[in-house]
């Protein structure tokens, strides 16, 4: 592992970071190259949050949906994969292997890619979502996570409560077979002390919405932080309130208001931001 890690670090140093772009990080032990996105206006003197993103069963390393949701700003994005390529198995061996690979990747990101060790997030869809839930249960160095199209297993080791209110985003299609398990994840992580945002995607099954949902965009923007966040949130809230006041149909207005009050900007900054 140490030899492979040294070779990876040497590759990153050689590749350099001159502009915003995708690069490929060879990872021989995983039998794959991992796509990594360096955000726009990258400043190597700063520390950036990172999202380590896990694909679904049969997929390949990608972070393209996260790139769309963040508009390429604020995060270093990593498309991660697995030692075991089949469907996820909740076993001690798979858990240990997954944690070992993630820890090795985190060391690389922190040492060579200006990643803030306190702001490393995990996320994934389908198998990647189940995987994310497992990692959040066991790795207390993580800053939070995105469980998409998935939930938590009924049979699992009892997890420790979080020492701080960890942000967790749950996104799932209303007609996804995993939706009940996503609701289970809502209860599970709230019991552990997490700050959970549930975003139900109407009218779809086990798939992503065509465009990244507003709740996801706002949640990610808040994780990225930086100057101007409160002003940006206030402007969005004010604009949306005007749109809501213009809705004449009472049923449509009700559902629009219900969605509005559940969004991260509104929950955190309120309507007076």
């Amino acid at each position: 592992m140490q030899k492979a890690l040294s070779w990876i670090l040497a590759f990153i140093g050689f590749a350099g970071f001159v502009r915003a772009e995708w690069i490929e990080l060879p990872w021989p032990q995983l039998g794959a190259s991992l796509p990594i996105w360096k955000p726009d206006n990258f400043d190597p003197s700063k520390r950036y949050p990172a999202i380590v993103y896990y694909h679904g069963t049969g997929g390949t390393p990608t972070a393209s949906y996260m790139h769309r949701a963040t508009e390429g700003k604020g995060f270093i994005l990593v498309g991660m994969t697995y030692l075991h390529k089949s469907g996820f198995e909740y076993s001690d061996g798979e858990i240990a292997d997954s944690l070992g690979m993630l820890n090795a990747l985190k060391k690389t990101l922190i040492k060579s890619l200006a990643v803030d060790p306190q702001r490393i997030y995990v996320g994934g869809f389908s198998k990647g979502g189940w995987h994310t839930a497992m990692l959040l249960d066991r790795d207390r160095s993580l800053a939070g996570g995105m469980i998409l199209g998935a939930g938590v297993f009924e049979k699992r080791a009892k997890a420790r409560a979080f020492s701080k209110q960890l942000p967790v985003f749950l996104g799932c299609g209303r007609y996804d077979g995993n939706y009940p398990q996503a609701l289970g994840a809502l209860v599970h992580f709230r019991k552990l002390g997490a700050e959970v945002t549930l975003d139900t995607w109407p009218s779809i099954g086990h798939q992503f919405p065509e465009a990244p949902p507003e709740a996801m965009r706002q949640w990610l923007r808040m994780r990225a932080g930086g100057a101007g966040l409160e002003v940006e949130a206030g402007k969005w809230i004010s604009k949306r309130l005007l749109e809501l006041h213009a809705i004449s149909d009472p049923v449509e207005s009700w559902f629009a208001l219900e969605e509005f009050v559940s969004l991260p900007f509104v929950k955190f900054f309120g309507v007076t931001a």
Side-chain angles (χ1 to χ4, degrees), residues 6-150:
S6 298
W7 187 82
I8 290 166
L9 295 176
F11 171 83
I12 293 175
F14 174 78
F17 285 93
V18 179
R19 63 186 185 280
E21 63 181 347
W22 289 99
I23 66 164
E24 293 290 324
L25 170 61
W27 202 284
Q29 192 170 0
L30 290 170
S33 289
L34 309 180
I36 297 182
W37 172 257
K38 178 201 67 174
D40 295 335
N41 301 316
F42 180 81
D43 182 350
S45 69
K46 297 180 180 179
R47 285 289 181 178
Y48 288 84
I51 301 174
V52 178
Y53 185 83
Y54 292 84
H55 60 81
T57 303
T60 56
T62 180
S64 59
Y65 202 83
M66 291 298 99
H67 183 263
R68 290 174 61 194
T70 61
E71 298 180 334
K73 301 175 182 177
F75 291 92
I76 288 174
L77 307 174
V78 185
M80 187 54 166
T81 191
Y82 318 89
L83 275 172
H84 309 287
K85 309 302 183 186
S86 59
F88 183 69
E89 295 181 6
Y90 202 83
S91 65
D92 291 341
E94 180 142 3
I95 290 168
D97 288 342
S98 297
L99 289 171
M101 286 292 100
L102 177 60
N103 285 333
L105 177 62
K106 285 191 294 185
K107 290 177 182 178
T108 301
L109 296 175
I110 293 165
K111 185 172 182 179
S112 299
L113 296 176
V115 165
D116 183 346
Q118 303 301 318
R119 292 194 293 164
I120 298 178
Y121 298 85
V122 287
F125 180 79
S126 193
K127 176 183 176 179
W130 297 104
H131 204 81
T132 295
M134 179 274 293
L135 292 170
L136 289 173
D137 266 347
R138 284 166 172 76
D139 187 343
R140 287 299 185 266
S141 72
L142 294 169
M146 305 181 73
I147 302 167
L148 309 173

Side-chain angles (χ1 to χ4, degrees), residues 222-271:
M222 289 176 63
R223 306 288 81 77
L229 174 58
E230 186 171 354
V231 172
E232 178 185 334
K235 288 181 178 179
W236 184 89
I237 290 170
S238 298
K239 178 183 177 182
R240 184 57 182 153
L241 281 172
L242 290 174
E243 295 170 347
L244 292 173
H245 288 153
I247 299 175
S248 58
D249 182 88
V251 175
E252 183 183 351
S253 177
W254 170 264
F255 283 110
L257 281 168
E258 188 176 41
E259 178 189 26
F260 175 73
V261 298
S262 71
L263 291 171
F265 279 0
V266 179
K267 289 171 67 176
F268 188 81
F269 294 104
V271 296

Side-chain angles (χ1 to χ4, degrees), residues 165-180:
Q165 200 172 37
L166 203 77
V168 175
F169 183 91
L170 290 167
C172 195
R174 180 61 185 86
Y175 299 105
D176 190 328
N178 290 331
Y179 188 68

